[in-house]
Amino acid sequence: MNFDLFLNSISKIEQAPLPGQASQFKMSPPYRMDLIEKQAEAMKSSKRAGVLALFYPDTLQNTNLILILRKTYKGVHSAQVGFPGGKLEPQDESLEYTAVRETQEEVGVPLKDIKVIKAMTEVYIPPSNFTVHPFMGITTKTPKFVKQDDEVEDLIEVTLKDFIDDNLMTSQLIMTSLQKEVEVPAFHFNGHIVWGATAMMLNEVKDLLKTVL
């Protein structure tokens, strides 16, 4: 979709109700509720993070979404696809600011060029004990992406056409943090499998967009 048409369509989003957890749960791993029940106490003091679903025009003025492939490291989210974003720092004025600041740091889009359109539904991530608040935003300029080399392995540019294509929803056998292989719902974008909390947050954005596009 042409980016100007996309901007015109999403002008209705600010007043639209969120699809919420019903949308997120469509992409939830089957063991999620068990993990949440086990960590009910830990949730009360979970760490906080903000992430951004950033849409932008490419050089042909088509609408894209930027995702990142995280570096391989000793952690539960090693080598996974996610949004640009990160944990709330003491100096951050809000989780929205966290999401925008981290987007600038991880993919090089200046804060001044980013407009946050809507706060989405937060997601609790049991393996890392984070509550993540996603936001949807835009930049009207074609970004000159610069990845943060110590944290980001690669940048994944997803076309809006692919993002809303139900045929790119799939399932995948993955090894969980519990060292068990399970089949989970997932997205398949540009050769990458996206599952877990990121897929849940993506699906809410997708379902919201489908109400106005």
Side-chain angles (χ1 to χ4, degrees), residues 59-90:
T59 55
L60 298 177
Q61 294 301 299
N62 294 313
T63 305
N64 285 8
L65 168 70
I66 188 68
L67 297 173
I68 63 172
L69 177 65
R70 298 207 171 274
K71 287 278 190 181
T72 300
Y73 65 99
K74 292 182 179 179
V76 295
H77 302 302
S78 172
Q80 290 184 7
V81 176
F83 297 99
K87 67 178 180 179
L88 177 72
E89 299 291 354

PDB file of all heavy atoms in Angstrom, residues 59-90:
ATOM      1  N   THR A  59      11.715   3.513  -0.367  1.00  0.00           N
ATOM      2  CA  THR A  59      12.106   4.451  -1.426  1.00  0.00           C
ATOM      3  C   THR A  59      11.072   4.541  -2.543  1.00  0.00           C
ATOM      4  O   THR A  59      11.069   5.512  -3.303  1.00  0.00           O
ATOM      5  CB  THR A  59      13.468   4.056  -2.022  1.00  0.00           C
ATOM      6  OG1 THR A  59      13.412   2.690  -2.468  1.00  0.00           O
ATOM      7  CG2 THR A  59      14.569   4.196  -0.973  1.00  0.00           C
ATOM      8  N   LEU A  60      10.193   3.531  -2.640  1.00  0.00           N
ATOM      9  CA  LEU A  60       9.126   3.556  -3.646  1.00  0.00           C
ATOM     10  C   LEU A  60       7.807   4.040  -3.060  1.00  0.00           C
ATOM     11  O   LEU A  60       6.771   3.968  -3.702  1.00  0.00           O
ATOM     12  CB  LEU A  60       8.947   2.154  -4.252  1.00  0.00           C
ATOM     13  CG  LEU A  60      10.153   1.578  -4.995  1.00  0.00           C
ATOM     14  CD1 LEU A  60       9.865   0.163  -5.464  1.00  0.00           C
ATOM     15  CD2 LEU A  60      10.538   2.473  -6.170  1.00  0.00           C
ATOM     16  N   GLN A  61       7.869   4.515  -1.795  1.00  0.00           N
ATOM     17  CA  GLN A  61       6.686   5.013  -1.072  1.00  0.00           C
ATOM     18  C   GLN A  61       5.673   3.926  -0.743  1.00  0.00           C
ATOM     19  O   GLN A  61       4.483   4.197  -0.535  1.00  0.00           O
ATOM     20  CB  GLN A  61       6.013   6.166  -1.836  1.00  0.00           C
ATOM     21  CG  GLN A  61       6.865   7.423  -1.921  1.00  0.00           C
ATOM     22  CD  GLN A  61       7.229   7.966  -0.539  1.00  0.00           C
ATOM     23  OE1 GLN A  61       6.339   8.316   0.226  1.00  0.00           O
ATOM     24  NE2 GLN A  61       8.521   8.026  -0.233  1.00  0.00           N
ATOM     25  N   ASN A  62       6.158   2.685  -0.677  1.00  0.00           N
ATOM     26  CA  ASN A  62       5.327   1.602  -0.162  1.00  0.00           C
ATOM     27  C   ASN A  62       5.484   1.533   1.350  1.00  0.00           C
ATOM     28  O   ASN A  62       6.522   1.924   1.894  1.00  0.00           O
ATOM     29  CB  ASN A  62       5.725   0.265  -0.797  1.00  0.00           C
ATOM     30  CG  ASN A  62       5.424   0.227  -2.275  1.00  0.00           C
ATOM     31  OD1 ASN A  62       4.331   0.607  -2.705  1.00  0.00           O
ATOM     32  ND2 ASN A  62       6.384  -0.217  -3.073  1.00  0.00           N
ATOM     33  N   THR A  63       4.489   1.004   2.033  1.00  0.00           N
ATOM     34  CA  THR A  63       4.490   0.967   3.490  1.00  0.00           C
ATOM     35  C   THR A  63       5.162  -0.296   4.008  1.00  0.00           C
ATOM     36  O   THR A  63       4.827  -1.405   3.586  1.00  0.00           O
ATOM     37  CB  THR A  63       3.046   1.023   4.032  1.00  0.00           C
ATOM     38  OG1 THR A  63       2.394   2.174   3.495  1.00  0.00           O
ATOM     39  CG2 THR A  63       3.036   1.102   5.550  1.00  0.00           C
ATOM     40  N   ASN A  64       6.110  -0.104   4.932  1.00  0.00           N
ATOM     41  CA  ASN A  64       6.846  -1.212   5.538  1.00  0.00           C
ATOM     42  C   ASN A  64       6.797  -1.127   7.053  1.00  0.00           C
ATOM     43  O   ASN A  64       6.496  -0.078   7.631  1.00  0.00           O
ATOM     44  CB  ASN A  64       8.324  -1.177   5.111  1.00  0.00           C
ATOM     45  CG  ASN A  64       8.546  -1.640   3.685  1.00  0.00           C
ATOM     46  OD1 ASN A  64       7.607  -1.861   2.944  1.00  0.00           O
ATOM     47  ND2 ASN A  64       9.791  -1.761   3.295  1.00  0.00           N
ATOM     48  N   LEU A  65       7.158  -2.240   7.690  1.00  0.00           N
ATOM     49  CA  LEU A  65       7.319  -2.336   9.140  1.00  0.00           C
ATOM     50  C   LEU A  65       8.724  -2.841   9.419  1.00  0.00           C
ATOM     51  O   LEU A  65       9.193  -3.776   8.758  1.00  0.00           O
ATOM     52  CB  LEU A  65       6.287  -3.320   9.713  1.00  0.00           C
ATOM     53  CG  LEU A  65       6.472  -3.779  11.167  1.00  0.00           C
ATOM     54  CD1 LEU A  65       6.199  -2.635  12.144  1.00  0.00           C
ATOM     55  CD2 LEU A  65       5.557  -4.965  11.469  1.00  0.00           C
ATOM     56  N   ILE A  66       9.412  -2.237  10.402  1.00  0.00           N
ATOM     57  CA  ILE A  66      10.767  -2.679  10.731  1.00  0.00           C
ATOM     58  C   ILE A  66      10.753  -3.592  11.956  1.00  0.00           C
ATOM     59  O   ILE A  66      10.131  -3.286  12.979  1.00  0.00           O
ATOM     60  CB  ILE A  66      11.716  -1.473  10.971  1.00  0.00           C
ATOM     61  CG1 ILE A  66      13.166  -1.952  11.123  1.00  0.00           C
ATOM     62  CG2 ILE A  66      11.271  -0.624  12.154  1.00  0.00           C
ATOM     63  CD1 ILE A  66      13.764  -2.518   9.879  1.00  0.00           C
ATOM     64  N   LEU A  67      11.419  -4.735  11.830  1.00  0.00           N
ATOM     65  CA  LEU A  67      11.670  -5.646  12.938  1.00  0.00           C
ATOM     66  C   LEU A  67      13.179  -5.876  13.034  1.00  0.00           C
ATOM     67  O   LEU A  67      13.920  -5.541  12.110  1.00  0.00           O
ATOM     68  CB  LEU A  67      10.948  -6.979  12.721  1.00  0.00           C
ATOM     69  CG  LEU A  67       9.426  -6.942  12.653  1.00  0.00           C
ATOM     70  CD1 LEU A  67       8.873  -8.318  12.266  1.00  0.00           C
ATOM     71  CD2 LEU A  67       8.824  -6.488  13.975  1.00  0.00           C
ATOM     72  N   ILE A  68      13.619  -6.433  14.156  1.00  0.00           N
ATOM     73  CA  ILE A  68      15.043  -6.698  14.314  1.00  0.00           C
ATOM     74  C   ILE A  68      15.277  -8.156  14.675  1.00  0.00           C
ATOM     75  O   ILE A  68      14.429  -8.801  15.292  1.00  0.00           O
ATOM     76  CB  ILE A  68      15.685  -5.791  15.393  1.00  0.00           C
ATOM     77  CG1 ILE A  68      15.067  -6.057  16.772  1.00  0.00           C
ATOM     78  CG2 ILE A  68      15.551  -4.330  15.017  1.00  0.00           C
ATOM     79  CD1 ILE A  68      15.779  -5.329  17.903  1.00  0.00           C
ATOM     80  N   LEU A  69      16.433  -8.668  14.258  1.00  0.00           N
ATOM     81  CA  LEU A  69      16.906  -9.977  14.689  1.00  0.00           C
ATOM     82  C   LEU A  69      17.968  -9.741  15.748  1.00  0.00           C
ATOM     83  O   LEU A  69      18.980  -9.084  15.487  1.00  0.00           O
ATOM     84  CB  LEU A  69      17.496 -10.763  13.511  1.00  0.00           C
ATOM     85  CG  LEU A  69      18.101 -12.122  13.851  1.00  0.00           C
ATOM     86  CD1 LEU A  69      17.033 -13.086  14.360  1.00  0.00           C
ATOM     87  CD2 LEU A  69      18.820 -12.714  12.637  1.00  0.00           C
ATOM     88  N   ARG A  70      17.711 -10.223  16.950  1.00  0.00           N
ATOM     89  CA  ARG A  70      18.641  -9.973  18.049  1.00  0.00           C
ATOM     90  C   ARG A  70      19.886 -10.846  17.935  1.00  0.00           C
ATOM     91  O   ARG A  70      19.858 -11.933  17.352  1.00  0.00           O
ATOM     92  CB  ARG A  70      17.955 -10.200  19.392  1.00  0.00           C
ATOM     93  CG  ARG A  70      16.789  -9.238  19.608  1.00  0.00           C
ATOM     94  CD  ARG A  70      16.501  -8.950  21.063  1.00  0.00           C
ATOM     95  NE  ARG A  70      15.511  -7.867  21.195  1.00  0.00           N
ATOM     96  CZ  ARG A  70      15.805  -6.591  21.201  1.00  0.00           C
ATOM     97  NH1 ARG A  70      17.068  -6.209  21.083  1.00  0.00           N
ATOM     98  NH2 ARG A  70      14.864  -5.676  21.318  1.00  0.00           N
ATOM     99  N   LYS A  71      20.959 -10.357  18.516  1.00  0.00           N
ATOM    100  CA  LYS A  71      22.213 -11.094  18.526  1.00  0.00           C
ATOM    101  C   LYS A  71      22.058 -12.405  19.304  1.00  0.00           C
ATOM    102  O   LYS A  71      21.177 -12.546  20.154  1.00  0.00           O
ATOM    103  CB  LYS A  71      23.302 -10.256  19.205  1.00  0.00           C
ATOM    104  CG  LYS A  71      23.798  -9.079  18.382  1.00  0.00           C
ATOM    105  CD  LYS A  71      24.836  -9.522  17.382  1.00  0.00           C
ATOM    106  CE  LYS A  71      25.514  -8.337  16.720  1.00  0.00           C
ATOM    107  NZ  LYS A  71      26.506  -8.755  15.721  1.00  0.00           N
ATOM    108  N   THR A  72      22.930 -13.343  19.026  1.00  0.00           N
ATOM    109  CA  THR A  72      23.020 -14.554  19.816  1.00  0.00           C
ATOM    110  C   THR A  72      23.775 -14.251  21.099  1.00  0.00           C
ATOM    111  O   THR A  72      24.875 -13.704  21.067  1.00  0.00           O
ATOM    112  CB  THR A  72      23.736 -15.664  19.041  1.00  0.00           C
ATOM    113  OG1 THR A  72      23.003 -15.947  17.836  1.00  0.00           O
ATOM    114  CG2 THR A  72      23.849 -16.936  19.859  1.00  0.00           C
ATOM    115  N   TYR A  73      23.145 -14.552  22.225  1.00  0.00           N
ATOM    116  CA  TYR A  73      23.778 -14.287  23.513  1.00  0.00           C
ATOM    117  C   TYR A  73      23.224 -15.274  24.541  1.00  0.00           C
ATOM    118  O   TYR A  73      22.326 -16.060  24.240  1.00  0.00           O
ATOM    119  CB  TYR A  73      23.502 -12.844  23.964  1.00  0.00           C
ATOM    120  CG  TYR A  73      22.045 -12.543  24.256  1.00  0.00           C
ATOM    121  CD1 TYR A  73      21.549 -12.540  25.566  1.00  0.00           C
ATOM    122  CD2 TYR A  73      21.141 -12.281  23.224  1.00  0.00           C
ATOM    123  CE1 TYR A  73      20.211 -12.275  25.835  1.00  0.00           C
ATOM    124  CE2 TYR A  73      19.799 -12.026  23.486  1.00  0.00           C
ATOM    125  CZ  TYR A  73      19.354 -12.024  24.791  1.00  0.00           C
ATOM    126  OH  TYR A  73      18.020 -11.776  25.037  1.00  0.00           O
ATOM    127  N   LYS A  74      23.756 -15.244  25.740  1.00  0.00           N
ATOM    128  CA  LYS A  74      23.289 -16.151  26.789  1.00  0.00           C
ATOM    129  C   LYS A  74      22.053 -15.545  27.449  1.00  0.00           C
ATOM    130  O   LYS A  74      22.143 -14.875  28.475  1.00  0.00           O
ATOM    131  CB  LYS A  74      24.392 -16.396  27.811  1.00  0.00           C
ATOM    132  CG  LYS A  74      25.568 -17.197  27.263  1.00  0.00           C
ATOM    133  CD  LYS A  74      26.609 -17.462  28.338  1.00  0.00           C
ATOM    134  CE  LYS A  74      27.757 -18.295  27.777  1.00  0.00           C
ATOM    135  NZ  LYS A  74      28.797 -18.558  28.808  1.00  0.00           N
ATOM    136  N   GLY A  75      20.927 -15.771  26.855  1.00  0.00           N
ATOM    137  CA  GLY A  75      19.681 -15.211  27.373  1.00  0.00           C
ATOM    138  C   GLY A  75      18.496 -15.844  26.691  1.00  0.00           C
ATOM    139  O   GLY A  75      18.622 -16.488  25.639  1.00  0.00           O
ATOM    140  N   VAL A  76      17.296 -15.640  27.267  1.00  0.00           N
ATOM    141  CA  VAL A  76      16.101 -16.333  26.776  1.00  0.00           C
ATOM    142  C   VAL A  76      15.616 -15.801  25.429  1.00  0.00           C
ATOM    143  O   VAL A  76      14.848 -16.468  24.740  1.00  0.00           O
ATOM    144  CB  VAL A  76      14.954 -16.259  27.807  1.00  0.00           C
ATOM    145  CG1 VAL A  76      15.327 -17.020  29.061  1.00  0.00           C
ATOM    146  CG2 VAL A  76      14.592 -14.817  28.143  1.00  0.00           C
ATOM    147  N   HIS A  77      16.034 -14.602  25.035  1.00  0.00           N
ATOM    148  CA  HIS A  77      15.569 -14.039  23.759  1.00  0.00           C
ATOM    149  C   HIS A  77      16.677 -14.018  22.706  1.00  0.00           C
ATOM    150  O   HIS A  77      16.593 -13.289  21.720  1.00  0.00           O
ATOM    151  CB  HIS A  77      15.015 -12.631  23.981  1.00  0.00           C
ATOM    152  CG  HIS A  77      13.898 -12.589  24.974  1.00  0.00           C
ATOM    153  ND1 HIS A  77      12.735 -13.316  24.814  1.00  0.00           N
ATOM    154  CD2 HIS A  77      13.754 -11.934  26.154  1.00  0.00           C
ATOM    155  CE1 HIS A  77      11.932 -13.108  25.849  1.00  0.00           C
ATOM    156  NE2 HIS A  77      12.532 -12.277  26.669  1.00  0.00           N
ATOM    157  N   SER A  78      17.698 -14.829  22.916  1.00  0.00           N
ATOM    158  CA  SER A  78      18.825 -14.904  21.991  1.00  0.00           C
ATOM    159  C   SER A  78      18.366 -15.278  20.586  1.00  0.00           C
ATOM    160  O   SER A  78      17.562 -16.199  20.399  1.00  0.00           O
ATOM    161  CB  SER A  78      19.817 -15.954  22.499  1.00  0.00           C
ATOM    162  OG  SER A  78      20.838 -16.190  21.554  1.00  0.00           O
ATOM    163  N   ALA A  79      18.866 -14.540  19.584  1.00  0.00           N
ATOM    164  CA  ALA A  79      18.644 -14.838  18.162  1.00  0.00           C
ATOM    165  C   ALA A  79      17.169 -14.871  17.776  1.00  0.00           C
ATOM    166  O   ALA A  79      16.789 -15.544  16.825  1.00  0.00           O
ATOM    167  CB  ALA A  79      19.312 -16.159  17.783  1.00  0.00           C
ATOM    168  N   GLN A  80      16.346 -14.128  18.485  1.00  0.00           N
ATOM    169  CA  GLN A  80      14.924 -14.060  18.161  1.00  0.00           C
ATOM    170  C   GLN A  80      14.588 -12.764  17.438  1.00  0.00           C
ATOM    171  O   GLN A  80      15.283 -11.754  17.565  1.00  0.00           O
ATOM    172  CB  GLN A  80      14.074 -14.164  19.432  1.00  0.00           C
ATOM    173  CG  GLN A  80      14.087 -15.538  20.074  1.00  0.00           C
ATOM    174  CD  GLN A  80      13.159 -15.628  21.280  1.00  0.00           C
ATOM    175  OE1 GLN A  80      12.406 -14.703  21.567  1.00  0.00           O
ATOM    176  NE2 GLN A  80      13.215 -16.742  21.981  1.00  0.00           N
ATOM    177  N   VAL A  81      13.507 -12.806  16.669  1.00  0.00           N
ATOM    178  CA  VAL A  81      12.998 -11.614  16.000  1.00  0.00           C
ATOM    179  C   VAL A  81      12.130 -10.839  16.979  1.00  0.00           C
ATOM    180  O   VAL A  81      11.334 -11.419  17.726  1.00  0.00           O
ATOM    181  CB  VAL A  81      12.186 -11.993  14.750  1.00  0.00           C
ATOM    182  CG1 VAL A  81      11.576 -10.733  14.112  1.00  0.00           C
ATOM    183  CG2 VAL A  81      13.068 -12.725  13.744  1.00  0.00           C
ATOM    184  N   GLY A  82      12.297  -9.511  16.985  1.00  0.00           N
ATOM    185  CA  GLY A  82      11.496  -8.686  17.876  1.00  0.00           C
ATOM    186  C   GLY A  82      11.310  -7.293  17.317  1.00  0.00           C
ATOM    187  O   GLY A  82      11.760  -6.973  16.208  1.00  0.00           O
ATOM    188  N   PHE A  83      10.651  -6.467  18.096  1.00  0.00           N
ATOM    189  CA  PHE A  83      10.532  -5.050  17.771  1.00  0.00           C
ATOM    190  C   PHE A  83      11.768  -4.310  18.278  1.00  0.00           C
ATOM    191  O   PHE A  83      12.391  -4.741  19.256  1.00  0.00           O
ATOM    192  CB  PHE A  83       9.325  -4.429  18.492  1.00  0.00           C
ATOM    193  CG  PHE A  83       7.998  -4.983  18.098  1.00  0.00           C
ATOM    194  CD1 PHE A  83       7.360  -5.934  18.874  1.00  0.00           C
ATOM    195  CD2 PHE A  83       7.354  -4.523  16.957  1.00  0.00           C
ATOM    196  CE1 PHE A  83       6.117  -6.423  18.539  1.00  0.00           C
ATOM    197  CE2 PHE A  83       6.109  -5.006  16.603  1.00  0.00           C
ATOM    198  CZ  PHE A  83       5.487  -5.955  17.388  1.00  0.00           C
ATOM    199  N   PRO A  84      12.092  -3.175  17.683  1.00  0.00           N
ATOM    200  CA  PRO A  84      13.024  -2.299  18.376  1.00  0.00           C
ATOM    201  C   PRO A  84      12.397  -1.856  19.699  1.00  0.00           C
ATOM    202  O   PRO A  84      11.198  -1.595  19.765  1.00  0.00           O
ATOM    203  CB  PRO A  84      13.217  -1.120  17.420  1.00  0.00           C
ATOM    204  CG  PRO A  84      12.142  -1.230  16.390  1.00  0.00           C
ATOM    205  CD  PRO A  84      11.642  -2.636  16.397  1.00  0.00           C
ATOM    206  N   GLY A  85      13.215  -1.810  20.739  1.00  0.00           N
ATOM    207  CA  GLY A  85      12.698  -1.439  22.055  1.00  0.00           C
ATOM    208  C   GLY A  85      13.594  -1.978  23.136  1.00  0.00           C
ATOM    209  O   GLY A  85      14.588  -2.658  22.869  1.00  0.00           O
ATOM    210  N   GLY A  86      13.229  -1.713  24.388  1.00  0.00           N
ATOM    211  CA  GLY A  86      14.056  -2.180  25.493  1.00  0.00           C
ATOM    212  C   GLY A  86      13.471  -1.793  26.826  1.00  0.00           C
ATOM    213  O   GLY A  86      12.332  -1.325  26.927  1.00  0.00           O
ATOM    214  N   LYS A  87      14.268  -1.991  27.861  1.00  0.00           N
ATOM    215  CA  LYS A  87      13.762  -1.817  29.222  1.00  0.00           C
ATOM    216  C   LYS A  87      13.680  -0.344  29.616  1.00  0.00           C
ATOM    217  O   LYS A  87      14.428   0.504  29.123  1.00  0.00           O
ATOM    218  CB  LYS A  87      14.643  -2.571  30.213  1.00  0.00           C
ATOM    219  CG  LYS A  87      16.049  -2.035  30.372  1.00  0.00           C
ATOM    220  CD  LYS A  87      16.790  -2.863  31.429  1.00  0.00           C
ATOM    221  CE  LYS A  87      18.221  -2.340  31.616  1.00  0.00           C
ATOM    222  NZ  LYS A  87      18.945  -3.102  32.647  1.00  0.00           N
ATOM    223  N   LEU A  88      12.742  -0.080  30.499  1.00  0.00           N
ATOM    224  CA  LEU A  88      12.551   1.252  31.055  1.00  0.00           C
ATOM    225  C   LEU A  88      13.760   1.622  31.899  1.00  0.00           C
ATOM    226  O   LEU A  88      14.143   0.885  32.803  1.00  0.00           O
ATOM    227  CB  LEU A  88      11.283   1.273  31.913  1.00  0.00           C
ATOM    228  CG  LEU A  88      10.940   2.569  32.645  1.00  0.00           C
ATOM    229  CD1 LEU A  88      10.458   3.628  31.659  1.00  0.00           C
ATOM    230  CD2 LEU A  88       9.864   2.305  33.699  1.00  0.00           C
ATOM    231  N   GLU A  89      14.380   2.760  31.591  1.00  0.00           N
ATOM    232  CA  GLU A  89      15.516   3.260  32.353  1.00  0.00           C
ATOM    233  C   GLU A  89      15.045   4.347  33.323  1.00  0.00           C
ATOM    234  O   GLU A  89      14.025   5.002  33.081  1.00  0.00           O
ATOM    235  CB  GLU A  89      16.587   3.814  31.409  1.00  0.00           C
ATOM    236  CG  GLU A  89      17.161   2.790  30.433  1.00  0.00           C
ATOM    237  CD  GLU A  89      18.022   1.729  31.109  1.00  0.00           C
ATOM    238  OE1 GLU A  89      18.272   1.848  32.326  1.00  0.00           O
ATOM    239  OE2 GLU A  89      18.432   0.779  30.418  1.00  0.00           O
ATOM    240  N   PRO A  90      15.777   4.544  34.421  1.00  0.00           N
ATOM    241  CA  PRO A  90      15.354   5.532  35.427  1.00  0.00           C
ATOM    242  C   PRO A  90      15.111   6.927  34.859  1.00  0.00           C
ATOM    243  O   PRO A  90      14.238   7.651  35.340  1.00  0.00           O
ATOM    244  CB  PRO A  90      16.514   5.533  36.423  1.00  0.00           C
ATOM    245  CG  PRO A  90      17.140   4.181  36.287  1.00  0.00           C
ATOM    246  CD  PRO A  90      16.997   3.824  34.845  1.00  0.00           C
TER     247      PRO A  90
END
